[in-house]
Amino acid sequence: MRKRVNASQALSLYEEQDMNVLSLLATSIREEINGKRVWYNRNFHLEPSNVCIHRCSFCSYRRENDSEPGAWTMEPNEIREYCRTKYEPGMTEVHVVGSVHPQKDISYYYNVIDIIRSELPAEVTIKAFSAVEIDDMCRSSGKSPQEVLSELKKRGVSALPGGGAEIFNSEIRKSICPDKADAGRWLDIHRAAHKLGLRSNATMLFGHIESRENRIEHLIALRDLQDSTGGFDAFIPLLFKSANNPMSHLGEIDIIEILKTFAISRVVLDNIPHIKSYWPMLGRELCQLTLLYGADDIDGTVNNSTKIYSMAGAQESSPSMSAVDLESIAAGCGYQAAERDSFYNEVKK
Ligand code: V47
């Protein structure tokens, strides 16, 4: 049986200079859980709006209002048309995450789900709304997370994406995203989702002003919640991209620190089965390299449907990959690509 690592052991792993050791350690865990498989899915994203009340200093995507250049807010007919354009037969998931729009109330978000459900085949899973968006729906409607999540579930949501977690440490959080749901609230919303039988993911935004200790503290908070609910499927380390945002002056961290963070996430999160390497943010080469440092999932085909990372300077300006491209990333590392649905059931071809 594997031994659980504590915070100080995790910190010593960061100090480990031999990258082969970290690679071997993370790989032995990823292979114990996932064998030689690298998971991917066929999916598209829907980002209904980028007009947001929150002023997160890492965000290159937000706009203050609908008249600002680069702002968008999709109305129902545009969402319908967008689903028709982006959906392709064989897709199994739509990933929905946007913003907290100052003038949209809960009925707008419910309607987004109703439109998606009526446009897409029943076998397409709706993975919708980050905990920050759910928190806002609760605030504007006076409802509890349980009530909002139950209603979303009734309308067709089966899973929550992992966004909005950023970094849980309260000092860092106050500095980079002062006015949004705090760590306790983010965790409570995921706890409530898991209780209702919804699956979810978790993220961590790293490579800005946080320390290694802050990252480890974040991972341990996720591990603790997973011990009690078992509802997280995947953890996604999100590398801070520095273009066009108020933290641009920080630049980006080096590749060794990125790979260490993937490996240490794999080791600390011994109860979360999947570590996702999100290629639209990392680019294809770095995504492939993370497969040797604990990652087992490379997300999906995406079909040029997300702007969050291209607006922040990611190389992939119109992210799209075929199943064949995704399979060759896995094969290059000696792994076998396996298509999955949103719940990691293998999709047989
Ligand atoms: O919460 C925003 C991050 C997140 C930047 O669940 C940035 O499968 C880096 O949650 N540099 C939203 N990151 C995206 C998200 C996600 C992505 C992929 C898969 C899944 C999943 C979830 O994007 C935000 C924030 O942490 N983000 N701006 C930036 N400049």
Side-chain angles (χ1 to χ4, degrees), residues 167-226:
I167 273 283
F168 290 150
N169 176 274
S170 58
E171 291 307 307
I172 305 291
R173 202 171 176 86
K174 256 185 239 146
S175 164
I176 66 169
C177 48
D179 48 4
K180 74 183 189 190
D182 65 11
R185 182 72 169 167
W186 190 96
L187 291 163
D188 282 347
I189 288 171
H190 281 260
R191 186 181 293 107
H194 298 168
K195 244 193 194 149
L196 290 167
L198 296 162
R199 306 296 300 174
S200 77
N201 290 337
T203 58
M204 173 176 75
L205 179 69
F206 74 103
H208 44 92
I209 58 166
E210 88 294 355
S211 63
R212 289 170 166 177
E213 285 86 346
N214 297 148
R215 290 178 209 151
I216 292 166
E217 179 192 340
H218 186 102
L219 296 174
I220 290 179
L222 292 174
R223 185 171 76 183
D224 288 346
L225 179 57
Q226 181 74 341

Side-chain angles (χ1 to χ4, degrees), residues 45 58-61 93 95 97 127 130 160-166 180 201-205 236 238-243 245 276 278 281 299 308-309 312:
H45 290 229
F58 52 80
C59 188
S60 318
Y61 163 91
E93 180 181 278
H95 172 128
V97 71
K127 184 173 85 181
S130 68
L160 263 54
E166 322 312 359
K180 74 183 189 190
N201 290 337
T203 58
M204 173 176 75
L205 179 69
I236 307 124
L238 292 171
L239 169 67
F240 168 63
K241 300 297 292 176
S242 66
N245 61 54
K276 184 188 282 193
Y278 186 56
M281 170 191 63
D299 198 77
I308 300 180
Y309 294 101

Side-chain angles (χ1 to χ4, degrees), residues 39-42 92-93 127 276 297-300 338-347:
W39 299 101
Y40 74 93
N41 69 353
R42 292 177 203 250
T92 54
E93 180 181 278
K127 184 173 85 181
K276 184 188 282 193
D297 180 352
I298 49 178
D299 198 77
E339 187 182 341
R340 63 167 177 85
D341 66 12
S342 301
F343 311 106
Y344 292 84
N345 301 302
E346 191 159 353
V347 174

